[in-house]
Amino acid sequence: MTGVEEVRVAPVALHRLEPLLTPERVERLEAYVATARDLLASRTVWNVNSTARGGGVAEMLHTLVAYAAGTGVDVRWLVVGGDADFFAVTKRLHNRLHGVPGDAGALDAAARATYDATLVRQRADVLARVEPGDVVLLHDPQTAGLARDLRDRGAFVVWRCHVGLDEHDAWTREAWGFLRELVEPAHACIFSRESFAPDWVDRRWLRVIPPSLDPFSPKNSDLDEREVARLVHRDGLVVEGRPLPTAGPVVLQVSRWDRLKDMAGVLDAFADHLDELPPDAHLVLAGPETTGVADDPEAAEVLAECRERWRSLPAAARARSHLVSVPMDDLDENARTVNALQRWSTVVVQKSLAEGFGLTVTEPMWKARPVIASAVGGIRDQVEDGVSGVLLGDPRDGAALAAAVSSLLDDPDRREAMGRAAHQRVRDHYLADRHLIQYVELFAQLVGEG
Ligand code: UDP
């Protein structure tokens, strides 16, 4: 897809959340909804990103747009497409914002020309829809290049960055050097953590807003055991390994096929320390079908690398590890399958080398699964080490990962306590009411200052 497409999302009433909130939270939310209705009565709030499916941003937009629309606010979602060259440049930006080169390409004038060439095609289409006074949320590097024109059009422009590295290095500085000129025209910026923001971002207009999840979406809603079993054991999911086990503890990582998620590192840690784990423990690595995520050009390559790695393992490790590719043709079914895998697993790991936030941590936490995850980026905000999960200080330390897995698999009481604390943590901090309130606060300030 190379044009602009609108994603239609059916409104969902915010009341649905109320049973999960304290009366104080319900009251606060109602007050903000009233403010939003006044403030946005004659405006549209636009979200613009580069994929309707796969990955955390699309996941979050599906639910937030639905809830926002449910309040009566006119909220829309546009997806700007691009060609392979455009996504090669934006993936390079994505990688370098996480401190790794990604590929050998440069972020030079030629890369900028490639980036601009795609956005020039989208610009007119986006501008034709947006009215002066509207609020536009541009998500991630893929859409930053629209900020200046939208501002000139008279819109309030917010650039939201979902990625980042806690400590800046030469790679992040290169990426930020590319993005600075594109981002600066935005009226405000949102980051998932403050440390991700480069120092030239105007602190008065920087907001820290972490993502949230929806407990009622197909990704997170309750599933009974039979449904879990049906989804997990249906044909066609496993691309390497035997059919998924029907007994014994399961260690799961769910991620896009992105090197920064280090699926291969999880596989190595499992295989290298197989003897330290219970003899009936299995590892499942699950990611989306690689043709399914439009703005992620490296996925097929990364999955192929993992398959190669799996094939080179000793037979004992191969017998107990499984690579799963979850079909993307039916998004609800994809979400329910991930949901089922998370509920079915004994321990969930997220061995990311860098992570903007990590909904794949939030989701199992909501399901009261004990999570073992790298102490990087937004994961550090979600998991309180030893309480609502386990944090690994060195994301590359496979031995430490295996030791943490082994210790949790041996201790059902600790797993249960951790799962309970994890669920409560998500309930307290990562539901849509907090998220929408933070948006309304920002919009009120933006519109208030004209
Ligand atoms: N996801 C999915 N199907 C898959 C793999 C991942 O729906 O096969 C979802 C996952 O459940 C989560 C999102 O993709 O909601 C990933 O978001 P996260 O913030 O963890 O990382 P990102 O992919 O944005 O880097």
Short mmCIF file of all heavy atoms in Angstrom, two decimals, residues 239-240 256-259 262-268 285 299-313 323:
data_model
loop_
_atom_site.label_atom_id
_atom_site.label_comp_id
_atom_site.label_asym_id
_atom_site.label_seq_id
_atom_site.Cartn_x
_atom_site.Cartn_y
_atom_site.Cartn_z
N VAL A 239 5.93 -23.42 12.89
CA VAL A 239 6.72 -23.47 11.65
C VAL A 239 8.02 -24.23 11.84
O VAL A 239 8.64 -24.68 10.89
CB VAL A 239 6.99 -22.06 11.07
CG1 VAL A 239 5.72 -21.47 10.53
CG2 VAL A 239 7.63 -21.14 12.10
N GLU A 240 8.50 -24.35 13.07
CA GLU A 240 9.63 -25.23 13.37
C GLU A 240 9.34 -25.92 14.69
O GLU A 240 8.97 -25.26 15.67
CB GLU A 240 10.95 -24.45 13.51
CG GLU A 240 11.48 -23.82 12.24
CD GLU A 240 11.90 -24.80 11.15
OE1 GLU A 240 11.93 -26.03 11.40
OE2 GLU A 240 12.18 -24.32 10.04
N ARG A 256 7.23 -9.23 17.55
CA ARG A 256 7.49 -9.13 16.12
C ARG A 256 8.85 -9.74 15.86
O ARG A 256 9.70 -9.80 16.74
CB ARG A 256 7.51 -7.67 15.67
CG ARG A 256 6.16 -7.01 15.55
CD ARG A 256 6.28 -5.57 15.06
NE ARG A 256 7.10 -4.76 15.97
CZ ARG A 256 8.35 -4.39 15.73
NH1 ARG A 256 8.95 -4.71 14.60
NH2 ARG A 256 9.02 -3.65 16.61
N TRP A 257 9.08 -10.17 14.60
CA TRP A 257 10.40 -10.73 14.26
C TRP A 257 11.34 -9.57 14.00
O TRP A 257 11.53 -9.13 12.88
CB TRP A 257 10.29 -11.68 13.06
CG TRP A 257 9.35 -12.81 13.34
CD1 TRP A 257 8.06 -12.93 12.92
CD2 TRP A 257 9.63 -13.97 14.15
NE1 TRP A 257 7.51 -14.09 13.42
CE2 TRP A 257 8.45 -14.75 14.16
CE3 TRP A 257 10.73 -14.42 14.85
CZ2 TRP A 257 8.36 -15.95 14.87
CZ3 TRP A 257 10.65 -15.63 15.55
CH2 TRP A 257 9.48 -16.37 15.55
N ASP A 258 11.91 -9.07 15.07
CA ASP A 258 12.76 -7.88 15.05
C ASP A 258 13.98 -8.25 15.89
O ASP A 258 13.83 -8.78 16.99
CB ASP A 258 11.96 -6.73 15.69
CG ASP A 258 12.71 -5.41 15.74
OD1 ASP A 258 13.93 -5.42 16.02
OD2 ASP A 258 12.08 -4.37 15.51
N ARG A 259 15.18 -7.98 15.36
CA ARG A 259 16.39 -8.42 16.09
C ARG A 259 16.46 -7.85 17.49
O ARG A 259 17.03 -8.47 18.39
CB ARG A 259 17.65 -8.06 15.30
CG ARG A 259 17.83 -8.92 14.08
CD ARG A 259 19.16 -8.74 13.38
NE ARG A 259 19.10 -9.43 12.10
CZ ARG A 259 18.66 -8.86 10.97
NH1 ARG A 259 18.32 -7.58 10.97
NH2 ARG A 259 18.57 -9.56 9.86
N ASP A 262 15.32 -10.03 20.18
CA ASP A 262 16.27 -11.11 20.48
C ASP A 262 15.62 -12.48 20.69
O ASP A 262 15.95 -13.20 21.65
CB ASP A 262 17.13 -10.74 21.70
CG ASP A 262 18.46 -11.53 21.68
OD1 ASP A 262 18.82 -12.05 20.61
OD2 ASP A 262 19.10 -11.64 22.74
N MET A 263 14.73 -12.85 19.78
CA MET A 263 14.14 -14.19 19.83
C MET A 263 15.25 -15.24 19.75
O MET A 263 15.21 -16.26 20.46
CB MET A 263 13.19 -14.39 18.66
CG MET A 263 11.95 -13.51 18.69
SD MET A 263 10.72 -14.14 19.86
CE MET A 263 9.26 -14.13 18.81
N ALA A 264 16.26 -14.98 18.90
CA ALA A 264 17.36 -15.96 18.75
C ALA A 264 18.11 -16.10 20.07
O ALA A 264 18.56 -17.20 20.43
CB ALA A 264 18.30 -15.51 17.63
N GLY A 265 18.25 -15.00 20.80
CA GLY A 265 18.93 -15.05 22.09
C GLY A 265 18.17 -15.88 23.11
O GLY A 265 18.77 -16.57 23.95
N VAL A 266 16.84 -15.84 23.03
CA VAL A 266 16.03 -16.66 23.94
C VAL A 266 16.23 -18.14 23.60
O VAL A 266 16.41 -18.98 24.49
CB VAL A 266 14.52 -16.30 23.82
CG1 VAL A 266 13.71 -17.12 24.82
CG2 VAL A 266 14.29 -14.82 24.05
N LEU A 267 16.23 -18.43 22.31
CA LEU A 267 16.42 -19.81 21.85
C LEU A 267 17.78 -20.33 22.32
O LEU A 267 17.88 -21.45 22.86
CB LEU A 267 16.33 -19.82 20.31
CG LEU A 267 16.17 -21.15 19.61
CD1 LEU A 267 14.97 -21.91 20.13
CD2 LEU A 267 16.04 -20.92 18.09
N ASP A 268 18.82 -19.53 22.15
CA ASP A 268 20.17 -19.94 22.59
C ASP A 268 20.21 -20.17 24.09
O ASP A 268 20.77 -21.17 24.56
CB ASP A 268 21.20 -18.85 22.25
CG ASP A 268 21.55 -18.87 20.77
OD1 ASP A 268 21.21 -19.87 20.10
OD2 ASP A 268 22.16 -17.89 20.30
N LEU A 285 8.37 -19.62 20.88
CA LEU A 285 8.64 -18.27 20.38
C LEU A 285 7.60 -17.97 19.31
O LEU A 285 7.54 -18.66 18.29
CB LEU A 285 10.04 -18.18 19.77
CG LEU A 285 11.20 -18.48 20.73
CD1 LEU A 285 12.53 -18.47 19.97
CD2 LEU A 285 11.23 -17.47 21.88
N ALA A 299 11.29 -8.43 8.99
CA ALA A 299 10.68 -9.56 9.69
C ALA A 299 11.01 -10.92 9.06
O ALA A 299 11.41 -11.86 9.75
CB ALA A 299 9.18 -9.36 9.77
N ALA A 300 10.87 -11.02 7.74
CA ALA A 300 11.07 -12.32 7.08
C ALA A 300 12.50 -12.80 7.30
O ALA A 300 12.74 -13.99 7.56
CB ALA A 300 10.76 -12.19 5.59
N GLU A 301 13.44 -11.85 7.20
CA GLU A 301 14.85 -12.18 7.38
C GLU A 301 15.11 -12.67 8.81
O GLU A 301 15.82 -13.66 9.02
CB GLU A 301 15.61 -10.89 7.14
CG GLU A 301 17.01 -11.00 6.66
CD GLU A 301 17.54 -9.58 6.43
OE1 GLU A 301 17.07 -8.92 5.46
OE2 GLU A 301 18.38 -9.13 7.23
N VAL A 302 14.52 -11.99 9.78
CA VAL A 302 14.77 -12.35 11.18
C VAL A 302 14.15 -13.70 11.50
O VAL A 302 14.77 -14.54 12.17
CB VAL A 302 14.25 -11.25 12.14
CG1 VAL A 302 14.39 -11.67 13.59
CG2 VAL A 302 15.00 -9.94 11.89
N LEU A 303 12.96 -13.96 10.98
CA LEU A 303 12.35 -15.28 11.19
C LEU A 303 13.22 -16.36 10.54
O LEU A 303 13.47 -17.42 11.14
CB LEU A 303 10.91 -15.32 10.64
CG LEU A 303 10.25 -16.70 10.67
CD1 LEU A 303 10.19 -17.30 12.07
CD2 LEU A 303 8.82 -16.65 10.09
N ALA A 304 13.70 -16.08 9.33
CA ALA A 304 14.54 -17.06 8.64
C ALA A 304 15.79 -17.36 9.47
O ALA A 304 16.21 -18.52 9.59
CB ALA A 304 14.92 -16.55 7.25
N GLU A 305 16.37 -16.32 10.06
CA GLU A 305 17.55 -16.53 10.92
C GLU A 305 17.22 -17.42 12.12
O GLU A 305 17.99 -18.30 12.49
CB GLU A 305 18.07 -15.19 11.46
CG GLU A 305 18.84 -14.36 10.45
CD GLU A 305 19.00 -12.91 10.93
OE1 GLU A 305 18.76 -12.61 12.13
OE2 GLU A 305 19.33 -12.07 10.07
N CYS A 306 16.06 -17.17 12.71
CA CYS A 306 15.66 -17.97 13.88
C CYS A 306 15.43 -19.43 13.48
O CYS A 306 15.79 -20.34 14.23
CB CYS A 306 14.39 -17.41 14.52
SG CYS A 306 14.68 -15.91 15.42
N ARG A 307 14.83 -19.61 12.31
CA ARG A 307 14.57 -20.99 11.86
C ARG A 307 15.90 -21.71 11.62
O ARG A 307 16.06 -22.88 11.98
CB ARG A 307 13.73 -20.99 10.58
CG ARG A 307 12.34 -20.42 10.81
CD ARG A 307 11.47 -20.45 9.57
NE ARG A 307 11.08 -21.83 9.26
CZ ARG A 307 10.05 -22.15 8.50
NH1 ARG A 307 9.28 -21.20 8.00
NH2 ARG A 307 9.76 -23.40 8.26
N GLU A 308 16.83 -20.99 11.03
CA GLU A 308 18.15 -21.54 10.78
C GLU A 308 18.80 -21.95 12.11
O GLU A 308 19.33 -23.05 12.26
CB GLU A 308 18.98 -20.43 10.09
CG GLU A 308 20.26 -20.88 9.45
CD GLU A 308 20.00 -21.96 8.41
OE1 GLU A 308 18.98 -21.91 7.67
OE2 GLU A 308 20.81 -22.89 8.41
N ARG A 309 18.71 -21.05 13.07
CA ARG A 309 19.29 -21.30 14.39
C ARG A 309 18.65 -22.53 15.03
O ARG A 309 19.30 -23.38 15.59
CB ARG A 309 19.07 -20.06 15.26
CG ARG A 309 19.75 -20.07 16.61
CD ARG A 309 21.20 -19.64 16.50
NE ARG A 309 21.30 -18.28 16.02
CZ ARG A 309 21.62 -17.23 16.77
NH1 ARG A 309 21.91 -17.41 18.03
NH2 ARG A 309 21.68 -16.03 16.25
N TRP A 310 17.31 -22.58 14.93
CA TRP A 310 16.58 -23.73 15.51
C TRP A 310 17.08 -25.04 14.90
O TRP A 310 17.33 -26.02 15.60
CB TRP A 310 15.08 -23.56 15.27
CG TRP A 310 14.27 -24.65 15.89
CD1 TRP A 310 13.74 -24.68 17.15
CD2 TRP A 310 13.92 -25.91 15.29
NE1 TRP A 310 13.10 -25.86 17.37
CE2 TRP A 310 13.19 -26.65 16.24
CE3 TRP A 310 14.15 -26.49 14.04
CZ2 TRP A 310 12.69 -27.92 15.99
CZ3 TRP A 310 13.67 -27.77 13.78
CH2 TRP A 310 12.94 -28.46 14.76
N ARG A 311 17.26 -25.01 13.55
CA ARG A 311 17.67 -26.26 12.86
C ARG A 311 19.06 -26.70 13.27
O ARG A 311 19.38 -27.88 13.17
CB ARG A 311 17.61 -26.06 11.35
CG ARG A 311 16.18 -25.97 10.85
CD ARG A 311 16.12 -25.97 9.33
NE ARG A 311 14.82 -25.46 8.92
CZ ARG A 311 14.64 -24.53 8.00
NH1 ARG A 311 15.67 -24.00 7.37
NH2 ARG A 311 13.42 -24.12 7.70
N SER A 312 19.86 -25.75 13.73
CA SER A 312 21.24 -26.11 14.09
C SER A 312 21.35 -26.58 15.55
O SER A 312 22.42 -26.94 16.01
CB SER A 312 22.17 -24.92 13.86
OG SER A 312 21.88 -23.93 14.81
N LEU A 313 20.24 -26.58 16.28
CA LEU A 313 20.29 -26.99 17.69
C LEU A 313 20.42 -28.51 17.82
O LEU A 313 19.99 -29.25 16.94
CB LEU A 313 19.00 -26.56 18.42
CG LEU A 313 18.73 -25.07 18.58
CD1 LEU A 313 17.38 -24.86 19.28
CD2 LEU A 313 19.84 -24.38 19.36
N LEU A 323 8.89 -22.80 17.11
CA LEU A 323 8.70 -21.46 16.54
C LEU A 323 7.29 -21.41 15.95
O LEU A 323 6.90 -22.27 15.17
CB LEU A 323 9.73 -21.18 15.44
CG LEU A 323 11.21 -21.30 15.82
CD1 LEU A 323 12.08 -20.75 14.68
CD2 LEU A 323 11.53 -20.57 17.11
#
